[in-house]
């Protein structure tokens, strides 16, 4: 919410596509979390996890291979649970379905996640080990913890904590790389992007080849924008330019222009990475400014 502002239209679950609204800005992790809160709220209205699972299966079966809008979900929900429709749960004061979809700001209700503490405690304990002194002793204790057994979100949370603490001492980053780099490199993009952001924010050159390989294989804005932002914020802008020149032909034009705008920050007037030969569309006409500070995956497209 600090990035978006309380009244930002991007914080709505259902944003009208009208002049001035860029669809690329509407998919962000805030929206996913707010949407999760709404779906959780629907499940609590149902009160029976098995019946709600049955509803979800019926919904997917009915609409598979088609496009749907929010109202399709709500109509299906009320049709599946006629007793809830009779209770007018969609019109409860302060929790109206219409307000859930169209109001700006944070979700109207949030789930109780306290039971998750049993999963987050080991993550926090490992993070504390890596920030403790002396490093040799802490690293030995940390390396004995097998994070390959963790759930994906636990590993992501651990890396997010390291990201929040960056820049880290170089000896810590070196030990982290020795302990985890090969393992993380075999995991999915949600994990790898976080580790590579740690690499970039800490100017850890031995793992830059992993950053290059990732950007050469990923064409999604949610994975490319954070890395280019971090590369251009620090001392690795020339590296970012080099990778961009090599990959720009495979990027979607909208993504290519966004990265061009990020790369052009700090260049002289009229400078444009890639030039006219690289992109036949004139200039960097995105209608909004590129973000000026480093962002993480969970922020992407909120500010980018």
């Amino acid at each position: 919410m600090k990035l978006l502002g309380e009244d930002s239209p991007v914080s709505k679950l259902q944003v009208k596509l009208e002049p001035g609204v860029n669809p690329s800005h509407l998919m962000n992790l805030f929206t996913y979390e707010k949407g999760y809160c709404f779906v959780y709220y629907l499940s609590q209205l149902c009160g029976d996890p098995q019946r709600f699972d049955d509803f979800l299966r019926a919904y997917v079966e009915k609409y598979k291979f088609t496009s749907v809008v929010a109202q399709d979900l709500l109509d299906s929900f009320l049709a599946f649970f006629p007793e809830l429709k009779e209770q007018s749960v969609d019109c409860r004061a302060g929790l109206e379905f219409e307000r859930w979809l169209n109001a700006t700001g944070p979700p109207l209700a949030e789930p109780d996640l306290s039971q998750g503490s049993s999963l987050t405690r080991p993550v926090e304990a490992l993070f504390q080990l890596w920030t403790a002194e002396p490093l040799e002793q802490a690293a030995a204790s940390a390396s004995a913890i097998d994070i390959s057994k963790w759930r994906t979100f636990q590993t992501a949370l651990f890396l997010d904590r390291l990201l929040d603490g960056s820049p880290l001492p170089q000896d810590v980053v070196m030990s982290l790389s020795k302990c985890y780099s090969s393992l993380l490199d075999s995991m999915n993009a949600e994990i790898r992007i976080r580790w590579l952001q740690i690499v970039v924010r800490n100017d850890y050159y031995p793992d830059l080849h992993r950053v290059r390989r990732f950007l050469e294989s990923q064409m999604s804005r949610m994975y490319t924008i954070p890395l280019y932002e971090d590369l251009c914020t620090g001392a690795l802008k020339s590296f970012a330019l080099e990778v961009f020149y090599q990959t720009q032909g495979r990027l979607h034009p909208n993504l290519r222009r966004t990265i061009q705008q990020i790369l052009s920050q700090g260049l002289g007037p009229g400078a444009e990475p890639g030039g006219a030969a690289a992109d036949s569309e004139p200039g960097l006409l995105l209608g909004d400014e590129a973000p000026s500070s480093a962002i993480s995956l969970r922020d992407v497209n909120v500010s980018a």
Side-chain angles (χ1 to χ4, degrees), residues 12-297:
K12 296 180 180 181
L13 286 181
Q14 185 171 258
V15 183
K16 291 184 179 180
L17 295 179
E18 53 191 7
V21 175
N22 186 339
S24 296
H25 296 176
L26 303 183
M27 301 300 292
N28 58 76
L29 293 189
F30 174 87
T31 305
Y32 277 100
E33 294 299 331
K34 188 173 182 179
Y36 162 70
C37 291
F38 181 41
V39 175
Y40 182 88
Y41 172 69
L42 294 178
S43 74
Q44 294 303 292
L45 288 176
C46 166
D48 182 342
Q50 184 57 55
R51 281 196 72 201
F52 192 70
D53 285 351
D54 291 342
F55 157 69
L56 292 177
R57 291 189 181 94
Y59 175 74
V60 171
E61 181 64 27
K62 179 178 180 180
Y63 290 109
K64 64 184 181 182
F65 310 125
T66 65
S67 296
V68 295
V69 295
Q71 195 60 47
D72 295 324
L73 170 66
L74 302 183
D75 291 344
S76 296
F77 177 79
L78 294 174
F80 197 90
F81 300 105
E83 70 278 13
L84 296 180
K85 184 174 183 178
E86 290 178 6
Q87 298 170 23
S88 300
V89 296
D90 56 324
C91 299
R92 286 184 178 177
L95 292 166
E96 298 91 346
F97 287 1
E98 190 278 334
R99 181 178 295 189
W100 268 105
L101 292 180
N102 298 306
T104 60
L108 304 181
E110 298 179 18
D112 178 11
L113 301 177
S114 59
Q115 291 182 343
S117 61
S118 62
L119 296 170
T120 58
R121 273 196 302 268
V123 176
E124 187 61 29
L126 183 59
F127 171 74
Q128 294 299 332
L129 276 176
W130 279 109
T131 53
E133 295 182 356
L135 175 61
E136 293 77 12
Q137 181 179 338
S141 300
S143 60
I145 299 175
D146 184 7
I147 69 171
S148 68
K149 307 297 184 184
W150 281 3
R151 299 186 185 183
T152 299
F153 90 87
Q154 290 177 291
T155 308
L157 178 59
F158 172 57
L159 296 175
D160 279 339
R161 295 288 280 120
L162 292 172
L163 265 174
D164 291 339
S166 294
L168 301 162
Q170 276 294 298
D171 54 348
V172 171
V173 181
M174 186 181 303
S175 296
L176 284 167
S177 178
K178 182 178 179 181
C179 191
Y180 302 124
S181 189
S182 296
L183 172 64
L184 298 175
D185 204 36
S186 66
M187 295 185 178
N188 66 33
E190 293 284 332
I191 299 299
R192 291 165 62 204
I193 178 65
R194 288 167 165 86
W195 169 245
L196 296 178
Q197 284 192 273
I198 293 171
V199 168
V200 171
R201 291 190 189 183
N202 290 278
D203 297 329
Y204 188 65
Y205 291 89
D207 272 356
L208 270 186
H209 68 283
R210 301 181 192 277
V211 177
R212 178 189 296 275
R213 188 169 70 244
F214 187 82
L215 289 174
E216 287 174 347
S217 63
Q218 287 290 337
M219 303 297 135
S220 166
R221 78 183 285 120
M222 73 179 296
Y223 296 130
T224 53
I225 294 296
L227 274 177
Y228 275 107
E229 276 292 324
D230 284 343
L231 287 166
C232 292
T233 300
L236 295 169
K237 191 163 189 174
S238 59
F239 173 84
L241 283 164
E242 179 185 341
V243 175
F244 174 70
Y245 287 147
Q246 294 173 352
T247 61
Q248 61 179 327
R250 303 199 298 274
L251 301 175
H252 187 282
N254 286 343
L255 175 58
R256 185 165 64 243
R257 288 197 297 272
T258 301
I259 296 174
Q260 284 178 318
Q261 188 176 35
I262 293 169
L263 292 169
S264 69
Q265 300 301 301
L267 298 179
E272 181 179 331
D279 191 344
S280 60
E281 300 180 32
L284 302 174
L285 304 176
L286 296 182
D288 57 354
E289 295 183 357
S292 58
S293 60
I295 58 175
S296 63
L297 177 65

